[in-house]
C-alpha cells in the first residue's frame, strides 16, 4: 500500500457511530475499574498505605484528600462521558485521571488497565459525542443545525490495530512460553482458585475434569489458537463474524475462570468497532398491522445501537423482508435471523443460525439473482 492509498484510508470520512457506542459502554467499565480504589479510600486506605513503587521520582503525588477527590471526579466524568454530556471534556477528564492513577505506582499496572487507557485516549481525540449523547439531543432541542456524523477514519483504524494486537500479542507470548503452551500455567491458576471453583454449582465430575493436569495440555493449546484466530480473523470480512462470536465466548469463559479485572467487559465493548463504519444501509420492511412484525420492528428500533437498519412500512398483508447493503433480499424466518445477527445484543445468539441451510440458501439465492440480473 503506497502513501497516497494509506492517506486515503486513514483520512476518508466514515461514520463514528461505533466509537459513540463504545464511549457509552466505556463509562461503566471505568466505574468498575475505579471500584477497588474507591472501596479502599472509603476504608481510609490509598496506594501509599501499602507497598508501592513510583515510575519516576518527579511524578507528582497529591495529598490524600485531593487524590480521593480526583477519583470521585473521574466517577462523575465517566458517567457524563457515557451520557454524552459535555462529551469532549468528560472523556478527556476521564482519560487523564485514569492515566494519572495508573502511573502513580508500578503496582497499579496491569495489561487490562493499559488497554483501558489506550481506549479512553482514542475516544478523547475522536469526535464521538455527535450521536448517542445528551449533547446531540440538547442541540436538536435548541434548533441547532445537525452535526456531521462522519469524521476521518484514523481513530477507528488505530483502535482496530490495538484491539487485534492485544489478542495477537497475548496468543504469541503464550505460544512461545513452554510452560503456558504445555498447560502448566493455566492448571496452576485453576488449582490456586480451587476453593472458588468448588463453590460453583458444578457436578463433582466437572470439578474433577477442570482440576486434572492432563486436561490443560489440550486446553492451553486451544486458548492460544483461539487468541491467534481472533487477532487474524477480525481483519477479514469472511471470518469477522466468526471471530467476534469466538471473542465473546472467550471473554465470557476467562471472566468466569480467571482474575482479569475489567478486561472481558472492555474487550467485548471494543468489538463494536469492527462493524462496517456506515449507517442505515440495510432496510427492514414490515407490515405494521402484523403483531409479530411490529414486535420485531420495536426490537430492532430499540437494539439497533449501530444504526444498521432503516425501517420502512409495506402494504398490509405483505411479508417481512430485509434488504442487505448489496441489494439482496431475504424474507420470512431467514430475514428475522439476519436482522437479529446484526444487532449487538442479539448477534452472539443469532450468528450461528446463519449457518442453517434454509438461511444460507435464502442469502445465496438472492445474491445469485442480483449477479445474473433481471431476465
Amino acid at each position: 500500500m503506497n502513501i497516497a492509498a494509506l492517506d486515503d484510508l486513514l483520512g476518508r470520512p466514515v461514520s463514528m457511530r461505533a466509537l459513540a457506542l463504545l464511549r457509552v459502554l466505556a463509562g461503566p467499565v471505568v466505574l468498575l475499574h475505579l471500584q477497588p480504589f474507591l472501596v479502599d479510600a472509603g476504608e481510609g486506605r490509598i496506594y501509599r498505605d501499602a507497598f508501592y513503587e513510583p515510575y519516576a521520582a518527579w511524578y507528582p503525588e497529591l495529598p490524600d484528600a485531593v487524590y480521593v477527590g480526583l477519583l470521585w471526579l473521574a466517577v462523575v466524568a465517566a458517567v457524563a462521558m457515557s451520557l454524552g454530556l459535555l462529551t469532549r471534556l468528560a472523556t478527556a477528564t476521564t482519560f487523564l485521571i485514569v492515566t494519572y492513577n495508573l502511573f502513580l505506582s508500578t503496582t497499579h499496572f496491569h495489561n487490562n488497565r493499559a488497554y483501558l487507557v489506550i481506549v479512553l485516549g482514542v475516544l478523547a481525540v475522536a469526535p464521538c459525542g455527535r450521536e448517542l449523547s445528551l449533547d446531540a439531543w440538547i442541540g436538536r432541542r435548541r434548533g441547532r443545525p445537525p452535526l456531521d456524523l462522519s469524521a476521518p477514519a484514523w481513530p477507528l483504524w488505530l483502535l482496530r490495530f490495538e484491539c487485534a494486537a492485544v489478542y495477537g500479542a497475548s496468543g504469541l507470548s503464550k505460544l512461545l512460553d513452554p510452560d503456558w503452551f504445555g498447560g502448566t500455567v493455566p492448571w496452576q491458576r485453576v488449582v490456586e482458585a480451587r476453593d472458588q471453583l468448588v463453590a460453583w454449582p458444578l457436578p463433582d465430575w466437572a470439578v474433577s475434569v477442570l482440576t486434572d493436569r492432563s486436561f490443560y495440555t489440550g486446553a492451553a493449546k486451544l486458548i492460544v489458537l483461539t487468541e491467534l484466530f481472533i487477532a487474524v480473523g477480525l481483519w477479514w470480512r469472511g471470518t469477522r463474524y466468526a471471530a467476534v462470536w469466538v471473542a465473546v465466548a472467550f471473554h465470557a469463559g476467562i471472566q468466569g475462570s480467571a482474575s482479569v479485572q475489567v478486561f472481558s467487559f472492555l474487550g467485548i465493548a471494543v468489538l463494536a468497532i469492527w462493524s462496517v463504519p456506515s449507517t442505515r444501509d440495510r432496510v427492514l420492511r414490515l407490515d405494521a398491522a402484523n403483531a409479530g412484525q411490529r414486535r420485531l420492528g420495536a426490537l430492532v428500533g430499540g437494539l439497533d445501537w449501530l444504526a444498521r437498519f432503516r425501517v420502512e412500512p409495506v402494504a398490509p398483508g405483505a411479508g417481512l423482508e430485509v434488504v442487505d447493503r448489496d441489494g439482496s433480499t431475504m424474507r420470512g424466518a431467514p430475514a428475522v435471523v439476519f436482522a437479529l445477527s446484526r444487532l449487538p445484543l442479539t448477534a452472539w445468539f443469532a450468528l450461528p443460525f446463519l449457518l442453517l441451510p434454509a438461511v444460507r440458501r435464502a442469502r445465496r439465492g438472492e445474491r445469485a439473482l442480483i449477479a445474473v440480473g433481471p431476465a
Side-chain angles (χ1 to χ4, degrees):
M1 181 181 292
N2 58 40
I3 297 298
L6 180 62
D7 184 64
D8 176 68
L9 178 69
L10 299 180
R12 182 186 308 144
V14 298
S15 169
M16 291 286 109
R17 182 80 178 204
L19 288 180
L21 176 59
L22 177 56
R23 186 206 79 238
V24 173
L25 299 175
V29 175
V30 171
L31 298 182
L32 188 63
H33 160 69
L34 293 173
Q35 181 184 14
F37 297 101
L38 293 169
V39 169
D40 284 347
E43 296 174 353
R45 299 189 307 273
I46 64 168
Y47 66 97
R48 283 195 292 262
D49 296 321
F51 172 79
Y52 80 103
E53 180 67 29
Y55 279 91
W58 53 262
Y59 197 73
E61 296 188 53
L62 301 171
D64 291 11
V66 178
Y67 170 70
V68 174
L70 201 65
L71 294 180
W72 281 108
L73 177 59
V75 169
V76 174
V79 172
M81 177 181 70
S82 276
L83 295 176
L85 181 62
L86 301 175
T87 310
R88 184 61 67 93
L89 176 62
T91 306
T93 301
T94 305
F95 163 68
L96 290 173
I97 297 176
V98 170
T99 304
Y100 170 75
N101 188 53
L102 176 69
F103 288 106
L104 276 172
S105 173
T106 57
T107 58
H108 284 183
F109 186 86
H110 295 281
N111 289 333
N112 69 88
R113 293 175 178 175
Y115 190 25
L116 177 59
V117 165
I118 292 170
V119 170
L120 292 173
V122 173
L123 292 176
V125 299
C128 57
R130 301 172 182 176
E131 297 181 86
L132 302 176
S133 68
L134 284 176
D135 289 343
W137 179 81
I138 291 170
R140 289 193 299 269
R141 293 276 297 188
R142 293 180 177 177
R144 295 172 185 165
L147 297 172
D148 187 358
L149 300 182
S150 61
W154 67 264
L156 197 61
W157 284 109
L158 178 61
L159 202 47
R160 283 184 173 187
F161 175 81
E162 176 60 29
C163 174
V166 165
Y167 296 107
S170 179
L172 189 60
S173 65
K174 293 181 177 70
L175 178 66
L176 299 178
D177 183 345
D179 288 334
W180 227 111
F181 196 65
T184 301
V185 173
W187 175 68
Q188 287 177 340
R189 290 181 178 176
V190 170
V191 169
E192 292 171 359
R194 182 182 174 87
D195 292 341
Q196 179 182 351
L197 187 65
V198 171
W200 289 0
L202 295 174
D204 292 341
W205 65 266
V207 174
S208 178
V209 169
L210 291 174
T211 54
D212 185 349
R213 171 65 181 83
S214 61
F215 172 78
Y216 292 93
T217 303
K221 295 172 178 58
L222 179 62
I223 293 171
V224 171
L225 293 176
T226 296
E227 291 185 308
L228 294 177
F229 168 71
I230 295 170
V232 175
L234 287 170
W235 289 107
W236 281 271
R237 288 192 180 184
T239 56
R240 184 170 297 159
Y241 286 116
V244 168
W245 193 93
V246 170
V248 173
F250 171 76
H251 283 298
I254 63 173
Q255 184 64 33
S257 61
S259 177
V260 292
Q261 299 180 3
V262 300
F263 177 60
S264 289
F265 302 105
L266 182 62
I268 292 174
V270 171
L271 292 173
I273 65 172
W274 293 98
S275 61
V276 174
S278 60
T279 58
R280 309 299 180 192
D281 49 4
R282 296 185 174 103
V283 183
L284 172 64
R285 294 182 179 140
L286 49 83
D287 175 10
N290 182 292
Q293 294 184 36
R294 191 166 61 247
R295 283 194 294 270
L296 178 64
L299 183 67
V300 171
L303 299 182
D304 190 14
W305 303 330
L306 290 168
R308 305 283 85 182
F309 293 95
R310 301 191 313 272
V311 179
E312 298 179 353
V314 295
L320 171 77
E321 64 180 24
V322 171
V323 182
D324 201 358
R325 60 169 59 97
D326 63 1
S328 59
T329 303
M330 286 157 282
R331 297 174 178 82
V336 174
V337 169
F338 181 82
L340 295 178
S341 73
R342 268 48 183 177
L343 304 179
L345 199 60
T346 59
W348 192 81
F349 304 99
L351 283 171
F353 289 93
L354 293 178
L355 300 176
L356 292 176
V359 179
R360 296 179 66 184
R361 281 196 302 270
R363 299 182 68 193
R364 225 178 12 242
E366 288 296 333
R367 287 172 181 163
L369 287 175
I370 292 171
V372 173

